[in-house]
Amino acid sequence: MKLLKLVPENTNLDFMRYRNVALVISLIVTVLAIGFTAVQGLNFGVDFVGGQMIRTTFARPIDVEQLRGRVEGLHLGEANIQEFGGPTTYQIRLPRPGGGANAANLAAERVKSMLAADYPGSRIDSVDTVSGKVSEELAQNGAIAIALAMLGIAIYIWFRFEWQFGVGALLTLGHDVAMTLGFFSFTRLPVDLNVVAAILTIIGYSLNDTVVIYDRIRENLRKYRKMAILPLLNLSLNETLARTVVTSLTVLIALGILMAIGPEVVFGLAIAIFLGVFIGTYSSIYISAPVLVWLGINPSSFVKNEEPDPTAKAEPQRV
């Protein structure tokens, strides 16, 4: 049986030819993502703002404004109703009522009774209740977790590679996180603890992809000392292309299936990681590598004081 090869042997794609175009596009989209997030904000779930979140699936498409009117007729406070994952699935967010857990349970029961009476065949998928103090602690801990992850990565890259590689890795991670948050701000999908977990996963995935490419670039900097930097970057990217494509494609397939037929409670997690893997694959090629050019790295940057490498004439190897 002949093995399937997604990437042919000895590819020689000129990635760096389009680096300036990719930079302009990335810069514009990143600025738009940051600006949109700053102006529009994020649609924080009950994990971070407190309150009640009821997810329900109806037997058939409904009139959203009619549903909104019926929920507000219960006088439980201002309701936020959004479609979630499909035309018959909605999430109803309500402020947490005063009076403790008993009052919260009573409010949820009133909504559930209304749905059962006015929408026969509807199903309650989940009811989540979070207090304001707990949500504040969750938001603070989530932000600290992301900040510490970025700091830890910066320290690791600093010691593992030279400072230019550390700057490139941090810019790549910042690009990926900004794009992901901009997507959630634009789509108004709820940002909860699952999304925080997804962002931490994206940071790890993007870093792994970037480190593999950086390792190959540094090896080739030592091996091909007379090669110009742009051909050397193209060579390194082509040598790692098979690994990049296979890894990203398998992860995207798994996440695509999870989004299509997986439980709705993990939809936000799956779509965030799916988007992050797609963006991370792009940025590992068109952000992390071109940054080294702009920072002035060349084959003599790190090896000018070293003895000649006996493997200098070795043939390129693929991963």
Side-chain angles (χ1 to χ4, degrees):
M1 179 178 177
K2 188 176 181 179
L3 298 178
L4 174 65
K5 284 186 176 296
L6 296 177
V7 179
E9 296 282 352
N10 302 318
T11 55
N12 188 27
L13 300 178
D14 189 2
F15 292 103
M16 292 299 100
R17 179 180 180 183
Y18 305 103
R19 68 186 189 283
N20 291 329
V21 175
L23 170 66
V24 173
I25 295 175
S26 298
L27 189 60
I28 292 174
V29 177
T30 301
V31 170
L32 288 176
I34 294 174
F36 202 87
T37 304
V39 174
Q40 185 77 5
L42 296 170
N43 178 27
F44 288 110
V46 293
D47 292 345
F48 296 136
V49 298
Q52 290 182 300
M53 181 78 79
I54 301 173
R55 288 176 180 165
T56 179
T57 300
F58 297 94
R60 60 185 62 86
I62 62 166
D63 185 333
V64 179
E65 291 305 318
Q66 186 182 57
L67 173 62
R68 191 187 311 280
R70 287 173 175 169
V71 173
E72 291 180 351
L74 299 175
H75 305 292
L76 298 175
E78 184 177 359
N80 185 302
I81 300 175
Q82 289 183 317
E83 184 178 312
F84 184 79
T88 60
T89 303
Y90 288 83
Q91 61 181 17
I92 303 170
R93 192 168 72 192
L94 297 168
R96 181 179 170 82
N102 291 335
N105 292 334
L106 180 61
E109 288 300 324
R110 291 181 63 188
V111 175
K112 292 163 69 175
S113 298
M114 181 275 292
L115 293 174
D118 295 340
Y119 299 94
S122 62
R123 182 186 74 238
I124 302 298
D125 297 320
S126 65
V127 178
D128 299 320
T129 302
V130 179
S131 70
K133 182 178 180 180
V134 171
S135 62
E136 184 178 344
E137 291 177 355
L138 290 174
Q140 184 178 10
N141 291 339
I144 291 175
I146 294 175
L148 287 179
M150 298 286 286
L151 178 62
I153 287 169
I155 294 174
Y156 167 73
I157 294 293
W158 188 279
F159 284 100
R160 178 71 175 80
F161 298 95
E162 290 73 15
W163 69 268
Q164 292 93 337
F165 290 90
V167 171
L170 283 179
L171 288 176
T172 303
L173 293 178
H175 167 271
D176 297 348
V177 172
M179 298 280 277
T180 304
L181 292 178
F183 170 79
F184 273 86
S185 178
F186 180 76
T187 60
R188 307 307 295 161
L189 287 171
V191 176
D192 53 20
L193 287 177
N194 284 335
V195 176
V196 173
I199 291 176
L200 292 174
T201 304
I202 292 168
I203 290 173
Y205 181 89
S206 179
L207 175 68
N208 182 59
D209 217 20
T210 301
V211 165
V212 169
I213 292 176
Y214 276 180
D215 255 334
R216 183 52 56 93
I217 291 174
R218 196 167 61 167
E219 289 175 9
N220 287 336
L221 283 170
R222 297 174 184 274
K223 189 180 296 182
Y224 306 108
R225 301 184 181 183
K226 295 183 179 180
M227 185 181 291
I229 186 64
L230 292 180
L232 189 143
L233 292 179
N234 275 327
L235 173 64
S236 303
L237 291 171
N238 278 284
E239 287 178 341
T240 56
L241 186 61
R243 179 265 176 198
T244 300
V245 170
V246 172
T247 303
S248 299
L249 189 60
T250 51
V251 174
L252 290 176
I253 290 174
L255 292 169
I257 295 174
L258 188 61
M259 286 192 296
I261 62 175
E264 294 171 1
V265 69
V266 298
F267 181 80
L269 173 73
I271 195 172
I273 299 178
F274 185 95
L275 182 68
V277 170
F278 184 80
I279 296 173
T281 302
Y282 161 80
S283 64
S284 64
I285 295 175
Y286 279 110
I287 300 295
S288 62
V291 164
L292 301 180
V293 180
W294 302 321
L295 293 176
I297 282 185
N298 58 64
S300 63
S301 296
F302 311 118
V303 296
K304 55 187 177 183
N305 296 326
E306 297 181 3
E307 294 297 329
D309 192 331
T311 64
K313 295 183 179 179
E315 292 295 327
Q317 296 179 353
R318 295 179 179 277
V319 295

